[in-house]
Amino acid sequence: MTILIEQSDHFGAEVEAKTEPINERELVLDGGFLIPQTNSFGHMFRAYNDAGSERREGVENFYRKNHTYQSVDFVKKMREEYAKLNRVEMSIWECCELLNEVVDESDPDLDEPQIEHLLQTAEAIRRDYPDEDWLHLTGLIHDLGKVLNLPSFGGLPQWAVVGDTFPVGCRFDESIVHHKYFKENPDYNNPAYNTKYGIYSERCGLNNVMMSWGHDDYMYLVAKENSTTLPSAALFIIRYHSFYALHREGAYKHLLNDEDVENLKWLHIFNKYDLYSKSKVRIDVERVKPYYLSLIEKYFPAKLKW
């Protein structure tokens, strides 16, 4: 199969890519999914500076904290602490149900419990790509790391759980939303960290890059250390789906290796469903639950360490 990616969104950005055959079916990004013109509040998607947005002030305050505190030292501390996976033991579906208690303060497009977004994303992908069951499951689980906000997972503040992610240890790219707040970050004026490459080298690979800490890296860690059989593209999507500076703005490409470049094509496919499937339309959980339980059983152990 050849992956074909041809996307034009309402910002006028285009993505085109081809790769070598993977299997016998051809994927076309647009599928049957129609991109809505506005989010569930009637505003443009990711409109962080829209004065009419009901959530603008709260979202901006979130990013002020996020950009101030997400430093190399903080990320190292979080990685070391959560690598222990010693907080909870539960199944994937049990974790999905916990997300009924979480609303993402960084998201200007939706204020519904997170399980609604997971199912909206997964079901939209399932309609367009019925044979890619790993991608359906990736849609369901990609945000499960947001349980970090709950007391049993450490009760981290939202600025350490959600929001756009970015590399630490090198210059903060100006394409990152609310970039101005990085000036308060202790790494901003550190000569070891404020150059294009910082502590990294050209084409070093994202696996060797420290990202700001949050639900993306945490869920990647949980999946990997619990021996998931999901393909590498799924793990890449989980880990970098909030890295908008890369997959939307094209920044930091000098850090990608060949495997990253290939997996980025799948992330471009995924992102449309992650971003534009958010709505007030509810999914019948009990109707779709058996299907997703079968995928969880296929790709994960019954219980995972978190």
Side-chain angles (χ1 to χ4, degrees):
M1 177 202 77
T2 301
I3 302 174
L4 299 179
I5 301 178
E6 298 178 358
Q7 176 184 13
S8 295
D9 61 24
H10 58 268
F11 290 101
E14 262 189 16
V15 179
E16 295 187 8
K18 282 190 177 182
T19 186
E20 293 301 313
I22 296 178
N23 63 38
E24 296 178 355
R25 199 172 72 82
E26 186 171 76
L27 298 181
V28 180
L29 178 62
D30 284 338
F33 184 73
L34 297 177
I35 296 178
Q37 295 301 307
T38 59
N39 64 19
S40 58
F41 299 105
H43 300 289
M44 298 292 281
F45 284 90
R46 289 178 59 83
Y48 291 101
N49 296 311
D50 185 348
S53 173
E54 290 87 341
R55 305 192 70 200
R56 184 191 63 80
E57 184 175 350
V59 171
E60 182 166 352
N61 186 54
F62 162 87
Y63 276 108
R64 178 183 61 80
K65 296 175 183 177
N66 175 275
H67 292 353
T68 298
Y69 301 127
Q70 288 276 4
S71 64
V72 168
D73 287 346
F74 175 76
V75 170
K76 286 181 176 179
K77 179 181 177 181
M78 291 295 98
R79 281 186 162 194
E80 180 180 358
E81 175 62 27
Y82 281 93
K84 300 172 185 176
L85 297 178
N86 62 355
R87 295 181 178 272
V88 180
E89 188 169 322
M90 65 171 59
S91 70
I92 289 287
W93 190 262
E94 287 171 328
C95 191
C96 288
E97 292 179 330
L98 280 181
L99 285 193
N100 277 323
E101 303 174 35
V102 177
V103 173
D104 186 341
E105 292 179 359
S106 73
D107 191 343
D109 298 323
L110 193 66
D111 61 356
E112 298 293 333
Q114 287 298 298
I115 194 170
E116 295 291 331
H117 169 53
L118 298 184
L119 288 169
Q120 289 167 352
T121 303
E123 285 293 281
I125 294 171
R126 184 181 175 190
R127 283 191 296 271
D128 283 3
Y129 303 112
D131 297 330
E132 311 297 330
D133 66 355
W134 67 269
L135 195 57
H136 311 165
L137 183 58
T138 303
L140 181 72
I141 70 172
H142 74 284
D143 274 347
L144 288 190
K146 291 180 180 180
V147 293
L148 285 171
N149 191 227
L150 302 178
S152 57
F153 291 82
L156 293 182
Q158 291 238 347
W159 61 261
V161 178
V162 297
D164 288 11
T165 58
F166 46 85
V168 297
C170 61
R171 181 187 301 147
F172 302 117
D173 191 83
E174 291 187 3
S175 66
I176 301 170
V177 63
H178 291 305
H179 178 272
K180 60 186 177 182
Y181 293 120
F182 281 119
K183 292 180 180 179
E184 302 303 317
N185 189 296
D187 296 346
Y188 185 80
N189 291 311
N190 187 330
Y193 301 146
N194 65 5
T195 63
K196 177 179 179 179
Y197 290 99
I199 60 176
Y200 310 115
S201 59
E202 187 171 6
R203 303 184 77 247
C204 63
L206 290 184
N207 192 51
N208 296 307
V209 174
M210 285 188 292
M211 299 294 295
S212 54
W213 177 254
H215 71 281
D216 310 63
D217 229 21
Y218 179 56
M219 188 58 209
Y220 163 80
L221 177 67
V222 169
K224 181 173 178 289
E225 295 304 315
N226 282 279
S227 302
T228 181
T229 56
L230 284 169
S232 64
L235 294 176
F236 188 91
I237 289 168
I238 291 168
R239 197 175 194 182
Y240 302 112
H241 68 271
S242 300
F243 191 3
Y244 277 85
L246 169 67
H247 63 73
R248 190 179 187 88
E249 304 298 336
Y252 298 105
K253 286 188 175 180
H254 55 282
L255 301 177
L256 305 186
N257 61 22
D258 291 342
E259 184 178 9
D260 295 330
V261 171
E262 290 303 306
N263 285 332
L264 182 59
K265 296 166 187 176
W266 282 105
L267 180 51
H268 281 137
I269 289 172
F270 176 85
N271 178 247
K272 181 180 70 171
Y273 299 94
D274 182 22
L275 179 59
Y276 297 116
S277 66
K278 299 172 185 177
S279 74
K280 295 289 187 179
V281 178
R282 296 296 181 94
I283 302 293
D284 184 343
V285 177
E286 293 307 311
R287 180 181 64 82
V288 301
K289 181 177 177 180
Y291 174 69
Y292 290 103
L293 287 177
S294 73
L295 297 188
I296 292 168
E297 182 178 2
K298 178 178 179 180
Y299 289 106
F300 283 95
K303 295 285 186 179
L304 286 73
K305 294 180 180 180
W306 300 77

